[in-house]
Amino acid sequence: MIGVSEALYKLLSSFSAVASEVVPLEKAAGRILSEDIKSEIDLPLFTNSSMDGFAVRAEDVERADPRQPVKLFVVEDIPAGKKPSRILGKNQGSRIMTGALIPDGADAVIPIEDTDHYDPESRTEPGFPEEIEVYRSVEPGDYIRKKGEDISAHETVLVSNSRLRPQDVGLLAMLGKAKLSVYRRPRIVILSTGDELLPVETPLELGKIHDSNAYTLSALITRDYGEPVYLGIVPDREQAVREFLVEAVKKDADLILSSAGVSVGAFDFVRTVVQSDGSLDFWRVNMRPGKPLAFGNFQGVPFIGLPGNPVSAFVGYEVFVRPAIRKLAGMNESPRKRIKTKILENVNSDGRESYLRAVVKFHNDEWIARLTGHQGSGNLLSLVQANALLIIPSGVKSLPSGTEVEAWLFDSS
Ligand code: AMP
Ligand code: MG
């Protein structure tokens, strides 16, 4: 039986990022960039005002203060979006709005609040005054945003393999990138195997259960930037398993993900069928829950067979499938972040690397954890009540209350 880290290493080394596609910017949020983004322009593109006020020559207002205001003659109005038409001369100013081009001759802006042309109760009148009184001095450059001060042309602003966040797409819009190259979403074809399974809309009968794994797995795949394609419930017959796997290949799967039927039961055909037209690298991992977990390929398409029990399927997904899909999706990321938490009860393990459902919280300056009751691998409610998985290393059989362990916090979405 293979250990978790060796299995993960083996599995991840056989995945690489899928191809890219070009998408319009409005569809780009959440996607993974497949190119570095360089700005072709300076930003700001032009030197502009950071305040509503008056563009001035700093030397003209050097001695201005509220008791000895300096008078300036206003030569024009420069709204945002308009080009100035006058060059400022001595003792002249131009009324200017935030974001508008600084006129030639000016080297600073006086905020409107520091002039007599200011009424805190109302918006500034349209129509500029002929003269103003300035109540303060400024240094050259004050209230001016210089061309290129945020971003210079040819600067790399976003790197390939990163996920586009809302602020990233905003920046891309600023740069005028209407289309960009992102990795396409990996297609993950899901199969649920088992004669006991019924679709969620079919009422239960004795001996049957609803197929819940397909729903959990689809949601996890979507979370991890993949595209789930659910093929349905596969009966426990060798021929049926083969037909579904062939169908999965036809759907252009980047990964075939099945649950159940990979253990040692009399009707567990998945391994046999995969091996008949592909190969398995491993099918048992030294972990709990989730020991019967298979990895290989069917007709050259990567295949992961998760255990059937809902908690085992979830844990197997988090440990192996999540990093695999993120790698397929083109993400370049370090291993999942772990926190260190104290456990507030005695914990027993069987020596396998164990993933235990727990509620973890930050209390009095430290993380503390309690298990969410019965840890049976079919008990999905205890996973629903948990917000973390505690990771008990292999070889450990018991941990007294108060011991520190590592944990994965679940994502909030
Ligand atoms: P198996 O690996 O086929 O032995 O299944 C192990 C356990 O998981 C059994 O109790 C199955 O009924 C259960 N199981 C298998 N597939 C699913 C599924 N898709 N949804 C919920 N439970 C399942
Ligand atoms: Mg079964």
Side-chain angles (χ1 to χ4, degrees), residues 291-311:
K291 182 170 83 170
L293 190 144
F295 170 63
N297 77 84
F298 180 76
Q299 296 183 351
V301 178
F303 165 84
I304 299 178
L306 293 171
N309 273 310
V311 177

Side-chain angles (χ1 to χ4, degrees), residues 193-197 236 259-262 267-268 308:
T193 75
D195 280 338
E196 74 279 34
L197 302 178
D236 283 325
S259 67
V262 284
F267 303 95
D268 291 349

Side-chain angles (χ1 to χ4, degrees), residues 178-204:
K179 287 183 177 156
L180 25 130
S181 178
V182 297
Y183 289 102
R184 73 171 170 73
R185 287 202 173 85
R187 275 164 83 78
I188 316 300
V189 174
I190 302 172
L191 306 175
S192 298
T193 75
D195 280 338
E196 74 279 34
L197 302 178
L198 292 176
V200 68
E201 56 280 350
T202 307
L204 287 180

Side-chain angles (χ1 to χ4, degrees), residues 62-336:
E62 215 175 351
R63 288 179 222 295
D65 77 29
R67 276 156 298 134
Q68 269 184 313
V70 166
K71 190 187 281 183
L72 294 180
F73 299 97
V74 182
V75 295
E76 71 169 330
D77 229 356
I78 317 174
K82 201 190 131 198
K83 285 191 194 131
S85 61
R86 302 284 298 267
I87 299 172
L88 275 201
K90 190 163 174 50
N91 295 328
Q92 291 183 334
S94 292
R95 190 168 71 165
I96 192 165
M97 303 298 141
T98 306
L101 268 157
I102 299 290
D104 286 343
D107 58 8
V109 169
I110 301 280
I112 202 150
E113 294 85 343
D114 297 314
T115 69
D116 64 344
H117 185 63
Y118 175 58
D119 177 358
E121 299 303 316
S122 76
R123 185 172 74 81
T124 314
E125 289 295 312
F128 60 91
E130 269 175 34
E131 323 179 338
I132 48 154
E133 292 199 327
V134 173
Y135 300 140
R136 60 168 285 189
S137 61
V138 275
E139 297 293 322
D142 280 358
Y143 303 106
I144 282 183
R145 303 190 280 218
K146 273 205 132 49
K147 172 179 160 72
E149 78 175 22
D150 294 342
I151 296 170
S152 49
H154 313 302
E155 186 174 339
T156 301
V157 292
L158 290 168
V159 291
S160 187
N161 305 96
S162 57
R163 182 167 187 252
L164 290 169
R165 302 165 302 168
Q167 61 268 45
D168 301 332
V169 289
L171 180 67
L172 290 164
M174 276 187 161
L175 301 178
K177 305 268 182 199
K179 287 183 177 156
L180 25 130
S181 178
V182 297
Y183 289 102
R184 73 171 170 73
R185 287 202 173 85
R187 275 164 83 78
I188 316 300
V189 174
I190 302 172
L191 306 175
S192 298
T193 75
D195 280 338
E196 74 279 34
L197 302 178
L198 292 176
V200 68
E201 56 280 350
T202 307
L204 287 180
E205 45 187 280
L206 265 189
K208 306 285 189 182
I209 57 170
H210 285 131
D211 170 11
S212 61
N213 288 344
Y215 287 85
T216 313
L217 295 174
S218 292
L220 287 166
I221 290 164
T222 305
R223 180 200 69 184
D224 293 324
Y225 324 126
E227 179 196 338
V229 180
Y230 176 45
L231 276 198
I233 294 168
V234 188
D236 283 325
R237 279 183 293 109
E238 194 169 333
Q239 188 50 26
V241 172
R242 190 181 313 280
E243 280 164 19
F244 270 85
L245 285 171
V246 167
E247 191 59 28
V249 174
K250 283 199 194 134
K251 295 267 180 209
D252 290 329
D254 294 302
L255 167 66
I256 302 170
L257 187 60
S258 74
S259 67
V262 284
S263 196
V264 290
F267 303 95
D268 291 349
F269 294 116
V270 177
R271 274 190 294 130
T272 325
V273 176
V274 171
Q275 277 170 316
S276 71
D277 207 357
S279 62
L280 281 183
D281 289 303
F282 55 81
W283 65 278
R284 275 185 310 178
V285 182
N286 190 25
M287 66 189 280
R288 184 180 74 129
K291 182 170 83 170
L293 190 144
F295 170 63
N297 77 84
F298 180 76
Q299 296 183 351
V301 178
F303 165 84
I304 299 178
L306 293 171
N309 273 310
V311 177
S312 313
F314 179 92
V315 171
Y317 180 97
E318 290 292 83
V319 176
F320 294 105
V321 187
R322 172 186 154 118
I325 296 183
R326 288 175 173 236
K327 194 167 176 198
L328 275 172
M331 288 200 75
N332 186 7
E333 58 181 2
S334 21
R336 187 168 183 172

